[in-house]
Amino acid sequence: MNDNSIRGIFRAGALALTGMLFAPAIAAQSAGAEVIRTTCLACHSEQGGAVSRISDQRKSPEGWHMTLNRMEHLRAVKLSPTDKRAVIKHLADTQGLAPSEAQPYRYLLEQDTNLIEDTPEAYVEMCARCHSAARFGLQRRTEEEWRLLVHFHLGQYPTLELHALSRDRPWMHLAMTETVPQLAADYGLDSEAWKSWKNAAKPELGGQWRMLGYVPGKGEFDARMTAVRTSPDRFRLNVEGRYADGSPLRGEGNATVYTGYEWRASLDLDGVSMRQVMAASADGAEMSGRQFMRDAREIGGVLNAVKEGAGSRVLAVMPSHLRVGETGTVTIVGNRLGGRVSLGEGVRIVEEIS
């Protein structure tokens, strides 16, 4: 029973099922800093190694991407695709979010938006009436920088104070005296989590992964994903596996790692263009997140991966249930599986097929 997957015939009731954005070749991190110096300092200023406005913020890779998009569209900044990727990589690595800071809002990073947010009361009427709560929850700023963001909102959207929930109260006064201090307290620039993560050894994400996911129109799959390093934090991917119905799965693509743990991949799985967004564990033994279609981000599913060589773990049981009294074939997918199979009371194992 030492193979990575085992199958058995069961007579049972329900079983439980245990249980991505993208970047082509990027320049080295130092290239991103150089682009900031040669392009951004036309408007921003540098003093003591800090760049005005920019150095007072931390964001996810997607957050920095949005910032550059805004600079291009509203400020006529000219960036080549290569330079843009280099700046995003540099800023996400040096001014990103610690894993614990991003974790509560991973649903937005993973484009899993079919949910109702639990927005803190302080922001329901002031911020979340227009934005997702994850929009500001995935940012960190100084209090002055949060203040300047309010000014930007009013300058860019002069009718803001005439909207519902604004025109019937002193919106600007409330924003400055209540909301800005609250944002600085909840989402301030400095944090022990970020200091700790910046100084921590980053996990090695190259190698072989045991992966479980879902491809729209084709179903659940389990596969081995090989990640071969092509440059710092950049990997070439090869995927081979099978769908739940036994048909083969093949794919290839590329991945980039930001901030030491944020996995972003673009790949083709049997002719379907997919994106992967996952977060790696601190030891690099596991990754979890979501995989979705390139052109329809709402269509996708949960994605889990365990590095081969890591400890024993069950990734999934497929199918996720059997009807009471039904006999069927169930596949247990995981890493370093061994020993006798037990699925609890009410399940009688007729045969194990290794």
Side-chain angles (χ1 to χ4, degrees):
M1 303 300 294
N2 293 322
D3 190 21
N4 276 344
S5 64
I6 51 181
R7 293 191 297 160
I9 308 298
F10 308 98
R11 185 180 303 278
L15 303 178
L17 173 64
T18 308
M20 255 168 149
L21 9 68
F22 35 88
I26 61 170
Q29 177 174 306
S30 59
E34 183 61 26
V35 174
I36 292 174
R37 284 190 291 269
T38 58
T39 302
C40 303
L41 294 187
C43 295
H44 297 266
S45 61
E46 183 178 20
Q47 185 174 8
V51 180
S52 63
R53 303 299 301 274
I54 299 174
S55 295
D56 291 334
Q57 304 178 41
R58 292 191 287 114
K59 301 179 184 179
S60 66
E62 290 79 4
W64 286 117
H65 196 169
M66 291 177 67
T67 296
L68 294 187
N69 285 346
R70 187 171 66 251
M71 293 297 103
E72 290 177 321
H73 297 154
L74 300 182
R75 305 291 179 251
V77 172
K78 303 296 182 183
L79 285 173
S80 69
T82 298
D83 285 349
K84 191 173 182 179
R85 288 190 290 267
V87 172
I88 293 170
K89 182 71 169 70
H90 172 72
L91 291 174
D93 286 351
T94 60
Q95 295 171 223
L97 300 175
S100 60
E101 293 175 319
Q103 194 281 327
Y105 306 104
R106 295 213 63 84
Y107 56 87
L108 186 62
L109 298 177
E110 297 166 7
Q111 301 297 309
D112 186 14
T113 53
N114 186 25
L115 53 82
I116 299 175
E117 293 184 312
D118 184 15
T119 305
E121 185 63 31
Y123 309 117
V124 170
E125 295 182 350
M126 296 299 289
C127 305
R129 63 190 176 91
C130 294
H131 294 293
S132 159
R135 175 72 174 271
F136 51 86
L138 287 168
Q139 301 184 42
R140 298 295 184 272
R141 299 171 183 254
T142 63
E143 183 167 348
E144 177 60 17
E145 183 56 38
W146 283 117
R147 194 178 311 278
L148 290 172
L149 183 64
V150 173
H151 284 292
F152 165 81
H153 276 66
L154 202 55
Q156 196 68 44
Y157 310 104
T159 62
L160 181 62
E161 290 186 290
L162 303 178
H163 293 178
L165 298 180
S166 294
R167 62 178 178 264
D168 54 349
R169 57 190 175 144
W171 184 90
M172 190 66 175
H173 175 75
L174 292 173
M176 288 300 188
T177 60
E178 296 183 10
T179 307
V180 165
Q182 191 66 52
L183 285 166
D186 293 341
Y187 309 111
L189 181 68
D190 297 323
S191 75
E192 290 303 318
W194 177 243
K195 292 176 184 176
S196 177
W197 179 251
K198 279 189 70 175
N199 295 326
K202 303 305 184 288
E204 169 54 54
L205 301 184
Q208 294 234 330
W209 293 85
R210 187 71 170 172
M211 185 170 65
L212 179 90
Y214 172 83
V215 175
K218 297 179 181 292
E220 295 178 325
F221 70 85
D222 69 273
R224 283 184 173 87
M225 179 176 70
T226 303
V228 178
R229 183 183 298 277
T230 57
S231 62
D233 293 334
R234 175 70 178 162
F235 301 92
R236 179 69 180 169
L237 306 179
N238 180 266
V239 179
E240 292 190 12
R242 62 182 179 181
Y243 294 99
D245 63 3
S247 59
L249 173 147
R250 290 183 177 83
E252 59 182 19
N254 297 287
T256 301
V257 177
Y258 299 91
T259 330
Y261 72 98
E262 291 282 12
W263 175 275
R264 304 292 187 270
S266 174
L267 66 168
D268 181 288
L269 293 179
D270 292 328
V272 181
S273 295
M274 306 291 291
R275 300 288 187 253
Q276 293 178 349
V277 177
M278 292 194 287
S281 60
D283 60 2
E286 302 178 21
M287 293 194 292
S288 63
R290 187 167 176 268
Q291 180 171 268
F292 50 87
M293 296 182 70
R294 182 191 65 185
D295 299 322
R297 295 173 295 179
E298 68 278 9
I299 302 176
V302 171
L303 188 67
N304 290 308
V306 175
K307 200 165 192 179
E308 294 197 357
S312 300
R313 179 180 169 182
V314 173
L315 272 175
V317 179
M318 299 187 294
S320 59
H321 68 277
L322 293 172
R323 295 180 182 276
V324 175
E326 178 184 11
T327 298
T329 301
V330 173
T331 301
I332 301 175
V333 182
N335 193 56
R336 293 196 172 191
L337 303 182
R340 297 300 303 272
V341 177
S342 174
L343 294 170
E345 186 177 352
V347 179
R348 183 168 67 89
I349 300 173
V350 178
E351 181 184 5
E352 296 180 8
I353 306 170
S354 180

